[in-house]
Amino acid sequence: MDDTRTGPMDDTRTGPMDDTRTGPMDDTRTGPMVVACIRITDLRPQIEPLSGTVVREPWSTGLSPADAAALEYSFRIAEAWSGHVVVITAAPPSADAVLRDARALGATVLRIAVGSPSSDQAYVDELGSDERAMAGMIVAALAPLGRPSLVVCGDRSSDRGTGALPAFLAHELGAAQALGLVAIATTDQESMVVAERRLDGGWRERLHVPCPAVCSVEGAGVRLRRASLTATLATQRTEIPQVTAAGGPGAIRGAGSVGPAEVAVGSVRPFRPRTRVVPGPDSDDPRLRLLALTGALVAHDPPTVVGPIDAAGAADALLTFLIRHGYLDTEPVGEEAAHEGTR
Amino acid sequence: MSAAGGVLGSGHEVPGGIWRGISFEDRMSTVEFRVGERAHITVDSDVCRSCTTKACVTACPANLFAPTSEGGILFNYEECFECGTCYMVCNHEGAITWTYPDGGQGVVFHQG
Amino acid sequence: MGKANMVPAASVSSDTPVFDAVVVGAGPAGSATALALARAGRSVVLVERGPFPGSKNVYGGVVYGRVLDDVVPEWWNEVPVERWVVRRSTMMMTGTQSVSVDYRSAAWGEAPYNGMTTVRSRFDNWLATKAVEAGAQLVTSTVATGLLRNAQGRIIGVRTDRDQGELRAKVVVACDGVNSFLAKEAGLMAPAQASHHTLGVKEVLDLPGHVIDERFGLRGDEGIDIEMLGCTRGIPGGGFLYTNSDTVSLGVVLSLTHLAEAKVRPEELIADLKNHPSIAPYLRGATLREYAAHLIPEGGYDTMPTMITDGMLVAGDAAAMTLAAGLWLEGVNFAIGSGLAAGRAVDRAIAAGDCSAKGLASYRSDLEGQFVLADHKRLRKAPHLVLSERIQQRYPGLICDLVDGMFTVTNPVPKQGGLRVTRSAAAKHGVKLRQLAADTVRALRVFG
Ligand SMILES: Cc1cc2nc3c(=O)[nH]c(=O)nc-3n(C[C@H](O)[C@H](O)[C@H](O)COP(=O)(O)OP(=O)(O)OC[C@H]3O[C@@H](n4cnc5c(N)ncnc54)[C@H](O)[C@@H]3O)c2cc1C
Ligand code: SF4
Ligand code: SF4
């Protein structure tokens, strides 16, 4: 029967290509090291209402939007730096499918075995319990691979993630930290990235982050790329390297003597919107001034009926309204107008 | 309508019936959608203007077809079950362009 | 980010198959096909568009597992079961009345069992894992967007929505479910017709296991299935209620054409059902866990597509194989049965070195010999009868009034005799006794 089998097929039936390859999945680990430190969770865990037990289904594990964004930014920055990406997670074996996908995208992957293979509940409890020790474990596991130039994490996860891990990581590595970002981009110097963070009122601050750094990103703005079919098939049966949870906190500490480098924020003044100057009424009669101020006798704008119109039309109508009422200058707001710190 | 159907239709008369409580938004919020960037279904509102049945409006289990005042249809693809009801009940050629969302995107049933 | 979705067909550089088979869709049909092929030592890729097998799939709730006997010995010890169905009720209802025929069997609660309630995310995963363990390669989050053909137009694989996304194989097995765009693209199936489809909408409701046990008279892992007729405001179809471990699945199945004409929203019909005096007490305090909808190919034998062409087979719902025999639906067992048969046929064809329609023809004869097509052929008229106007709209009321006439204690007025009750109930519901007799004969012919 087997004699009729075709092509390059071998008896282990691994498909057209094995996990030894070139191109996007090249694994030579040259250049700066960008680490995506991600948490692989059940995206919709069942919580038993009475006991609070978290029931994770192994097949519905995946990356939260924040962790997916962290991974995507890692690839983008590693590409810009001609570096390489290492994906690390502390998780039970149910995370391996997600790690294989990351492998298919060309990353080196590493799983710190925590929890018991049979109970994901233990894993969830363990993760929540001591994030400082967790950070120590991660740094120790990364040590043999070299010193990371940048570590990117998601800023929150759906199951008990507190968002504190990146800060502990930065401490362990002696790295700068910038958390809760919406964008990270490279600069012309390899020792610096710029990052953006949301502020109130639709404003953003732009941070200059010296490397090594730990950044955490929100799940917004970018989508994780998809691996090619060839790469996906090739990594189907890849063994995921595992390290056991040893080492503990303080296994390595960044350069030891120097403290973490500081993030430069353009300006530390709080942002206050400009006040709108309304000229005082110029009557001598207090009654008239009062009337003018309250507008009691002034004819009001009738309510504006907008739409149904398309999105672009609605945006224009809104902007016109805001400009007419003095809330905006006539230029449209955009990336250029983003708060550069010095304003 | 027939006897059987007619009587059951009177379910509406149960005032504050315990099961009427759930709003459509709450109903849909029980379903996971991994919303893709590409609209996998598009509706040509110009074709719909000449449609007299508007069958999609009531038949779509996710209630995604909203009739507009000019007789067209406003369609949102995000919370779609990918069931196929709409293109099957629509008898206007070209009104609905129907594809599956990109791999891994779209509805994810956990209790199917 | 978003790379091109489709790989142009022009890039088919070589016609050499890389795999023995590509199976599209990791539902029960696809996983069974892949399992059979992998066990036979063939190289097979199973492509699924959802993030995990079962993530796109919805059904009512009962799998008739005997089809697994030959595949997984003592499957009942490892299958992810919610409850074993030991009790089955058929309920005829009007807005305020219901008559149930209730059957309970102790034998159904013991191996090899009859039916089990299970959840598709778990069941489909289990079956797909079986295929992977046997050596199949499962690729999730990947849509098969079209067929690859060689210069002569013969099918040589599928195209997917990933980069470098072509999969060349000796045979493509389309197990892509009710909407099967692959079967349509191959010209095996006519464009979709609403009249051959029903829409199923379902609510999964949280209810603690011990409450389910008490309310439905169950114990341990015993379950019940209830099928309902007359609860859909005259729209041909029916309702169902199945018990899982600590949830209840409740839903309605509706003729698409009639649903569209009736201008009723599907979730209203579920709400009707939940409010019905015969159902509401079962569900008191239950909360919605998940709402879902899916189509069902209910045309039966007479609407099945051609299932075989050069280099391709169609199995499961893609080949319209759900059997709407009575009020209940059997689809998963037929999907598995046809998938296993497809796997065997592909294996034979490859061994014989002929993957043309002729080489694959044993698929059809295999199906005809088994329950898969035998049952479908025998019950080919069932969908028409079950969805007929009289069965749907008149009989439930008729039967309820009949029983009402016999059970209601009317003294001091004397009770009417049986035939008079029947005649007056029948007259009220516009059913002639001749029709009643004729439908009985028809039902006996269809199901007998
Ligand atoms: C409301 C309802 C109630 C039902 N009740 C029962 C019941 O109680 N018992 C019973 O036995 N049956 C029941 N059925 C029928 C049963 O669900 C189906 O017959 C069965 O699921 C068919 O299996 P399948 O593998 O052929 O198709 P599906 O289960 O539909 O699987 C098709 C698979 O293909 C994938 N797919 C589709 N297109 C592509 C593509 N282009 N690329 C990649 N992947 C693709 C889909 O994601 C899906 O996973 C019910 C159906 C419904 C809708
Ligand atoms: S989508 Fe079809 S059925 Fe719906 S309004 Fe448009 S033409 Fe009519
Ligand atoms: S596929 Fe189904 S859920 Fe989606 S728009 Fe069409 S009818 Fe609605």
Side-chain angles (χ1 to χ4, degrees):
Chain A
M1 216 199 310
D2 269 0
D3 46 356
T4 55
R5 198 180 281 153
T6 31
M9 207 55 52
D10 62 5
D11 265 323
T12 50
R13 279 178 298 172
T14 41
M17 215 200 231
D18 244 329
D19 192 11
T20 48
R21 68 208 102 99
T22 52
M25 294 188 306
D26 206 358
D27 189 19
T28 41
R29 294 215 299 269
T30 51
M33 165 167 152
V34 180
V35 175
C37 177
I38 54 178
R39 170 137 163 174
I40 296 169
T41 58
D42 184 332
L43 295 172
R44 230 168 144 97
Q46 276 294 317
I47 317 283
E48 297 290 341
L50 290 181
S51 61
T53 313
V54 183
V55 183
R56 291 160 44 101
E57 302 280 17
W59 57 82
S60 91
T61 50
L63 294 177
S64 70
D67 284 314
L71 189 50
E72 176 61 27
Y73 277 120
S74 305
F75 283 120
R76 289 186 186 186
I77 288 171
E79 272 162 17
W81 282 349
S82 311
H84 65 279
V85 176
V86 173
V87 175
I88 188 164
T89 186
S94 58
D96 284 357
V98 178
L99 290 176
R100 275 189 201 104
D101 288 347
R103 183 81 195 84
L105 285 169
T108 306
V109 298
L110 190 58
R111 177 165 65 78
I112 302 177
V114 293
S116 71
S118 54
S119 157
D120 278 7
Q121 172 68 28
Y123 161 62
V124 176
D125 289 345
E126 202 168 313
L127 272 193
S129 62
D130 186 350
E131 283 182 287
R132 174 151 194 196
M134 174 64 66
M137 269 186 323
I138 291 170
V139 169
L142 285 173
L145 299 179
R147 187 173 158 79
S149 302
L150 181 69
V151 179
V152 193
C153 310
D155 74 336
R156 73 196 67 178
S157 70
S158 48
D159 59 351
R160 298 200 190 173
T162 59
L165 182 77
F168 285 120
L169 271 179
H171 177 79
E172 293 290 335
L173 286 166
Q177 56 171 305
L179 309 184
L181 308 172
V182 285
I184 311 177
T186 50
T187 59
D188 37 18
Q189 315 158 31
E190 238 175 47
S191 57
M192 184 80 82
V193 291
V194 290
E196 263 177 36
R197 182 153 57 191
R198 279 185 222 274
L199 295 179
D200 285 352
W203 291 74
R204 290 179 177 195
E205 65 180 347
R206 193 163 287 161
L207 307 168
H208 294 273
V209 187
C211 297
V214 178
C215 296
S216 77
V217 293
E218 282 186 29
V222 290
R223 278 190 181 260
L224 181 57
R225 58 194 67 192
R226 295 174 72 196
S228 73
L229 186 64
T230 328
T232 310
L233 281 170
T235 49
Q236 278 268 302
R237 293 178 196 270
T238 303
E239 277 294 319
I240 301 296
Q242 248 190 68
V243 291
T244 38
I252 64 163
R253 247 175 235 280
S257 52
V258 271
E262 292 214 352
V263 173
V265 185
S267 153
V268 290
R269 279 183 300 117
F271 163 65
R272 292 207 181 78
R274 281 154 299 148
T275 40
R276 182 158 68 107
V277 182
V278 185
D282 56 359
S283 168
D284 287 338
D285 182 350
R287 182 180 157 272
L288 286 181
R289 279 209 303 275
L290 195 65
L291 279 175
L293 273 177
T294 57
L297 297 182
V298 183
H300 285 278
D301 279 357
T304 323
V305 180
V306 187
I309 50 181
D310 59 14
D316 286 344
L318 260 172
L319 289 178
T320 326
F321 178 88
L322 290 174
I323 291 166
R324 178 150 46 91
H325 288 266
Y327 290 104
L328 281 184
D329 301 333
T330 35
E331 317 103 57
V333 271
E335 284 285 336
E336 317 81 77
H339 185 48
E340 264 278 19
T342 42
R343 275 171 92 155
Chain B
M1 218 186 260
S2 72
V7 183
L8 242 157
S10 68
H12 284 301
E13 285 156 25
V14 186
I18 42 172
W19 294 111
R20 298 284 174 196
I22 187 158
S23 72
F24 200 79
E25 287 70 40
D26 287 348
R27 173 181 292 283
M28 294 306 286
S29 74
T30 63
V31 193
E32 182 186 353
F33 294 99
R34 300 187 184 168
V35 180
E37 281 174 312
R38 180 178 67 88
H40 64 285
I41 299 176
T42 53
V43 178
D44 185 345
S45 192
D46 293 335
V47 179
C48 297
R49 260 189 273 278
S50 63
C51 170
T52 49
T53 64
K54 297 273 188 299
C56 57
V57 174
T58 47
C60 167
N63 204 0
L64 296 177
F65 292 79
T68 65
S69 53
E70 303 102 74
I73 288 286
L74 192 70
F75 178 81
N76 292 311
Y77 72 96
E78 286 90 348
E79 301 205 322
C80 166
F81 290 128
E82 301 152 31
C83 65
T85 299
C86 50
Y87 81 82
M88 287 207 194
V89 298
C90 173
N91 41 23
H92 280 67
E93 191 70 31
I96 299 182
T97 315
W98 204 99
T99 62
Y100 288 126
D102 297 343
Q105 309 291 341
V107 70
V108 177
F109 293 116
H110 293 263
Q111 305 294 326
Chain C
M1 268 206 347
K3 301 262 171 62
N5 272 327
M6 299 219 182
V7 181
S11 66
V12 181
S13 49
S14 122
D15 292 355
T16 324
V18 177
F19 297 98
D20 287 327
V22 174
V23 180
V24 179
S31 291
T33 311
L35 178 62
L37 279 166
R39 288 233 176 120
R42 302 295 169 189
S43 62
V44 49
V45 182
L46 180 57
V47 183
E48 167 59 46
R49 66 187 187 89
F52 55 85
S55 55
K56 301 288 182 185
N57 304 343
V58 179
Y59 82 142
V62 179
V63 170
Y64 303 93
R66 292 303 301 276
V67 62
L68 290 167
D69 283 357
D70 301 335
V71 196
V72 185
E74 310 218 339
W75 50 271
W76 50 85
N77 288 328
E78 52 168 295
V79 75
V81 60
E82 296 278 320
R83 286 170 186 261
W84 300 104
V85 177
V86 296
R87 201 182 146 194
R88 179 168 217 165
S89 273
T90 301
M91 216 185 240
M92 301 277 191
M93 58 215 297
T94 69
T96 53
Q97 305 157 294
S98 69
V99 175
S100 293
V101 179
D102 197 90
Y103 177 73
R104 186 167 189 137
S105 161
W108 286 1
E110 288 159 16
Y113 302 97
N114 181 51
M116 63 180 159
T117 57
T118 176
V119 174
R120 290 295 292 276
S121 58
R122 298 204 187 97
F123 182 80
D124 289 10
N125 246 288
W126 173 77
L127 201 58
T129 305
K130 287 268 150 226
V132 170
E133 284 166 4
Q137 295 209 60
L138 168 67
V139 187
T140 54
S141 297
T142 305
V143 186
T145 49
L147 296 167
L148 286 177
R149 292 176 186 270
N150 66 9
Q152 292 75 45
R154 186 187 179 284
I155 294 166
I156 54 162
V158 295
R159 218 177 298 130
T160 69
D161 71 339
R162 284 192 191 253
D163 271 3
Q164 306 167 12
E166 292 176 0
L167 282 171
R168 266 179 287 278
K170 290 177 183 165
V171 184
V172 173
V173 186
C175 303
D176 49 346
V178 56
N179 283 306
S180 187
F181 293 113
L182 292 185
K184 284 172 202 157
E185 188 183 329
L188 299 178
M189 196 151 98
Q193 260 179 294
S195 57
H196 294 156
H197 293 85
T198 52
L199 170 67
V201 286
K202 157 169 130 163
E203 286 186 2
V204 175
L205 300 154
D206 273 312
L207 206 58
H210 65 94
V211 177
I212 295 179
D213 290 352
E214 279 159 25
R215 291 195 188 163
F216 295 94
L218 305 167
R219 197 173 45 182
D221 56 6
E222 293 176 345
I224 183 173
D225 89 24
I226 307 181
E227 271 96 22
M228 294 159 259
L229 199 56
C231 56
T232 45
R233 297 197 203 170
I235 299 169
F240 59 82
L241 185 158
Y242 302 120
T243 54
N244 305 315
S245 307
D246 50 10
T247 55
V248 170
S249 302
L250 177 96
V252 288
V253 171
L254 306 161
S255 144
L256 261 194
T257 26
H258 292 80
L259 172 70
E261 281 163 18
K263 300 267 165 215
V264 182
R265 291 214 36 87
E267 73 275 4
E268 282 179 40
L269 296 169
I270 301 194
D272 277 357
L273 199 54
K274 285 159 96 178
N275 264 322
H276 192 280
S278 308
I279 299 296
Y282 285 138
L283 301 177
R284 203 180 317 113
T287 48
L288 183 59
R289 188 187 282 195
E290 190 174 85
Y291 173 55
H294 205 278
L295 286 185
I296 306 157
E298 265 203 50
Y301 190 79
D302 296 337
T303 64
M304 284 184 190
T306 318
M307 287 178 272
I308 307 170
T309 185
D310 293 342
M312 176 163 151
L313 294 182
V314 189
D317 270 10
M321 277 194 193
T322 298
L323 181 67
L327 290 175
W328 66 91
L329 292 167
E330 291 181 35
V332 173
N333 49 342
F334 285 94
I336 296 174
S338 61
L340 293 173
R344 285 191 296 265
V346 173
D347 178 41
R348 263 180 243 126
I350 292 175
D354 177 9
C355 295
S356 68
K358 201 162 134 279
L360 292 165
S362 70
Y363 176 46
R364 178 97 201 182
S365 45
D366 194 347
L367 287 179
E368 303 270 3
Q370 290 183 54
F371 73 101
V372 179
L373 282 189
D375 279 8
H376 263 289
K377 214 167 182 173
R378 191 165 63 80
L379 298 177
R380 67 201 294 172
K381 299 277 180 259
H384 310 287
L385 183 64
V386 173
L387 294 180
S388 79
E389 192 257 348
R390 274 197 302 281
I391 297 252
Q392 283 288 326
Q393 304 192 7
R394 305 197 184 197
Y395 288 166
L398 167 71
I399 290 171
C400 286
D401 281 355
L402 253 176
V403 176
D404 191 84
M406 294 196 220
F407 285 2
T408 308
V409 181
T410 52
N411 21 345
V413 185
K415 252 197 197 313
Q416 295 181 325
L419 189 61
R420 278 197 50 204
V421 175
T422 312
R423 212 186 282 275
S424 67
K428 178 171 156 208
H429 292 280
V431 178
K432 297 210 180 73
L433 285 183
R434 270 197 67 233
Q435 286 169 339
L436 185 59
D439 279 341
T440 312
V441 172
R442 218 164 279 145
L444 285 175
R445 285 219 184 105
V446 168
F447 296 107

